[in-house]
Amino acid sequence: MKMIIAVIRPEKFGQVEAALAEKGFHAMTVSEVRGRGEQKGISLQSRGGPVKVDLLPKIRIEMAVSATFAETVVQIIREAARTGRIGDGKVFVLPLDMAAKVRTEEVSI
Amino acid sequence: MAIDTGDTAFILICTALVMLMTPGVGLFYGGLVRRKNIISMIALAFIAFSVVSLQWILFGYSLAFGHDIGGIIGGLDFIGLSGVGMDGDGIPDLLFMVFQLVFAGLTLAIVTSGAAERVKVSSFIIFGLLWTTLVYDPLAHWAWGGGWAASLGALDFAGGTVVHISSGFAALALALVIGRRVGFGTYSMDPHNIPLTLIGGALLWFGWFGFNAGSALAADGLAASAFVVTNTSAAAGALAWLVASWFRGRPSSLGMISGAIAGLVAITPAAGFVDPLSAIVIGAIGGLICYGAMLFRLHRGLDESLDAWAVHGMGGLWGAIATGIFAVAAVGGVDGLIYGNVNQFLIQVLDAGVSVIYAFSVTYALAWIVDKTIGLRVTEEEEYVGLDISQHGESTQA
């Protein structure tokens, strides 16, 4: 199994969620986070001097999927979350040892 | 007539009540925008109030209530409040002036709806100064300062044309000039704090008693009548919008409070002229018309973000016309259409129509000029991080 962690623009979450659901990927954990990429946030020039916004609001999606679907899920997220501008986010894929359902005895490897 | 202490005490309190409506609008709008723009929305309401507070005493009051010039605008006799003192007819002239001031401040605060989440503070201050001078002051003069509408006999008890048609259609014009928010129609722009909006709505409903009952300018039976019809219409509007939205899903609290405000707007011009049973009809139809206007706006993809046009503009338009339909001589001395006075109805339609056209077109021109000279809108990057940080350097997000 693979753990997919995507950090995306908050305003794009609705589209990403819909695109994933359309292909049958429903299970996910979502959190509101703040972060930055290599550009280190955003610098704004205002009359009162520069305003530095270090950490921008983002949405983090975590999904445990079977290894065979990992690439598809990554592709769906990239397409749905893309605006083409800096700050679109990043998708990470991690190896996942095991996923155990709490309600039943079901275990996925 | 000498000063009446009872009337004076009452209007002092009403003035303070109406002032509270301005931050009320700020909280109402602040809850409806995204979290990154809440400080901006509340601040814009206070800024609007501050700008108008100074403009009004320097020359705004004079332009609205100075001696009539051709039915269009007031003269400069009261500039800097010269001749506006502690004496007066029933209430001190100064008190009448400040009662009118809080109306003017509130009106500009409503206009911020049209530029929500994307306006530069500096440009808004300049636009607001121009707007209140060139749109609000003439409209106030027409209705209350001895202008053409007043001479024609148009009825506007507490500001259907002056406050609501003007701010609603101005917000629409401003929204068209400034353009849609980035991502409007694609991204989710759900309200982030409905309880805050409900608190703002509560302050508006509460303040509206000062707004409408105070417009009797005396602590008398007419004030009591205006108070009762105001509350009645608000309740009818709240329930009408609630039920209408129920058919399309759930009876949302946001629909309920929007309907209440629609009912309050609709009764405003009629508050001193109709009885409580008519107020039920005016409020309920007001709620339905404004709900329909909001759906129409969404359907057309117009980003008049917080529905000042749908609620204040269309509600005010309906209210001005409804005054000509439901007015009854027993309350305000004038009959309307259903009591056989066709003439009054036609005057109301004319007054409302001219107000719509004037407010929309002059606002459009002013916004266009400000946009072409100093720019109305923040940069895309500033809009993305939100106006709280980009305009004020403050944030609710630790």
Side-chain angles (χ1 to χ4, degrees):
Chain A
M1 291 196 82
K2 298 284 183 191
M3 174 63 97
I4 296 173
I5 300 175
V7 180
I8 62 167
R9 292 179 185 274
E11 68 268 23
K12 277 287 185 182
F13 174 68
Q15 279 151 280
V16 171
E17 189 191 24
L20 286 165
E22 198 184 317
K23 301 286 181 193
F25 300 101
H26 297 284
M28 61 177 73
T29 305
V30 177
S31 22
E32 288 180 20
V33 295
R34 288 144 63 73
R36 61 181 176 194
E38 284 158 29
Q39 289 71 31
K40 292 191 268 182
I42 292 181
S43 272
L44 302 170
Q45 277 302 326
S46 73
R47 211 164 282 108
V51 179
K52 180 90 181 114
V53 187
D54 234 15
L55 296 169
L56 296 168
K58 299 285 169 191
I59 291 282
R60 182 174 66 190
I61 306 171
E62 290 164 279
M63 303 176 74
V65 298
S66 147
T68 43
F69 296 129
E71 215 164 298
T72 317
V73 168
V74 171
Q75 203 49 39
I76 293 170
I77 294 174
R78 293 178 77 170
E79 279 167 20
R82 186 180 298 132
T83 69
R85 284 172 298 134
I86 289 168
D88 275 354
K90 209 149 192 168
V91 188
F92 309 95
V93 180
L94 280 64
L96 183 64
D97 290 341
M98 187 180 91
K101 206 174 240 183
V102 175
R103 177 171 54 86
T104 63
E105 293 301 313
E106 184 186 341
V107 170
S108 316
I109 296 171
Chain B
M1 203 172 112
I3 299 291
D4 182 297
T5 53
D7 291 347
T8 302
F10 175 60
I11 301 303
L12 280 167
I13 291 166
C14 287
T15 304
L17 282 179
V18 178
M19 184 277 159
L20 201 55
M21 295 172 75
T22 297
V25 164
L27 296 173
F28 187 88
Y29 287 168
L32 290 177
V33 294
R34 289 165 290 176
R35 187 173 291 134
K36 60 188 178 180
N37 293 311
I38 176 176
I39 294 173
S40 152
M41 280 324 299
I42 300 173
L44 282 174
F46 279 104
I47 289 168
F49 190 76
S50 304
V51 167
V52 174
S53 288
L54 298 186
Q55 184 269 2
W56 194 250
I57 65 156
L58 291 175
F59 54 85
Y61 176 66
S62 197
L63 292 177
F65 292 95
H67 76 275
D68 179 57
I69 302 177
I72 301 299
I73 192 80
L76 298 177
D77 19 359
F78 298 138
I79 204 155
L81 298 190
S82 85
V84 184
M86 292 184 272
D87 300 326
D89 182 13
I91 61 171
D93 291 340
L94 267 175
L95 178 54
F96 177 74
M97 182 283 299
V98 74
F99 184 61
Q100 292 296 332
L101 179 155
V102 289
F103 278 54
L106 168 69
T107 308
L108 183 58
I110 299 169
V111 178
T112 60
S113 164
E117 305 196 277
R118 57 207 190 278
V119 71
K120 281 202 287 191
V121 169
S122 52
S123 307
F124 177 76
I125 291 172
I126 289 164
F127 167 81
L129 190 58
L130 292 169
W131 188 86
T132 200
T133 305
L134 297 172
V135 179
Y136 186 88
D137 296 351
L139 278 163
H141 182 74
W142 298 355
W144 300 322
W148 67 267
S151 345
L152 211 57
L155 306 177
D156 188 352
F157 193 67
T161 53
V162 186
V163 175
H164 299 292
I165 287 181
S166 72
S167 59
F169 282 87
L172 182 64
L174 180 58
L176 290 173
V177 174
I178 201 169
R180 296 170 180 188
R181 288 169 290 177
V182 171
F184 176 74
T186 342
Y187 306 156
S188 156
M189 292 187 178
D190 290 340
H192 87 283
N193 194 336
I194 301 240
L196 196 69
T197 296
L198 296 176
I199 292 171
L203 290 177
L204 286 172
W205 193 330
F206 174 71
W208 228 290
F209 293 128
F211 197 85
N212 285 3
S215 288
L217 294 177
D220 59 7
L222 184 61
S225 174
F227 195 115
V228 171
V229 297
T230 298
N231 192 58
T232 307
S233 180
L239 293 175
W241 188 315
L242 185 87
V243 170
S245 67
W246 209 328
F247 284 106
R248 295 176 60 92
R250 306 252 171 183
S252 72
S253 66
L254 193 54
M256 180 274 301
I257 197 66
S258 304
I261 292 170
L264 289 161
V265 168
I267 199 66
T268 295
F273 303 106
V274 301
D275 60 33
L277 292 181
S278 299
I280 296 178
V281 181
I282 292 173
I285 295 179
L288 297 177
I289 287 176
C290 296
Y291 180 56
M294 185 199 71
L295 294 179
F296 171 80
R297 172 186 79 76
L298 289 169
H299 178 69
R300 294 294 299 268
L302 295 168
D303 192 10
E304 200 288 278
S305 320
L306 311 171
D307 284 308
W309 171 74
V311 174
H312 296 272
M314 294 305 287
L317 182 57
W318 158 242
I321 294 168
T323 308
I325 299 174
F326 295 99
V328 50
V331 176
V334 187
D335 275 331
L337 188 62
I338 57 172
Y339 299 101
N341 189 352
V342 182
N343 193 36
Q344 189 62 45
F345 176 72
L346 295 176
I347 290 173
Q348 294 302 116
V349 172
L350 174 73
D351 182 29
V354 171
S355 303
V356 165
I357 294 165
Y358 183 80
F360 183 85
S361 51
V362 176
T363 308
Y364 195 95
L366 291 178
W368 187 85
I369 290 167
V370 172
D371 192 41
K372 293 299 168 205
T373 47
I374 55 171
L376 261 180
R377 190 166 180 150
V378 297
T379 65
E380 199 176 326
E381 208 158 59
E382 287 171 322
E383 189 176 336
Y384 180 67
V385 298
L387 305 196
D388 290 0
I389 289 178
S390 73
Q391 299 297 293
H392 303 287
E394 294 163 323
S395 172
T396 53
Q397 306 166 72

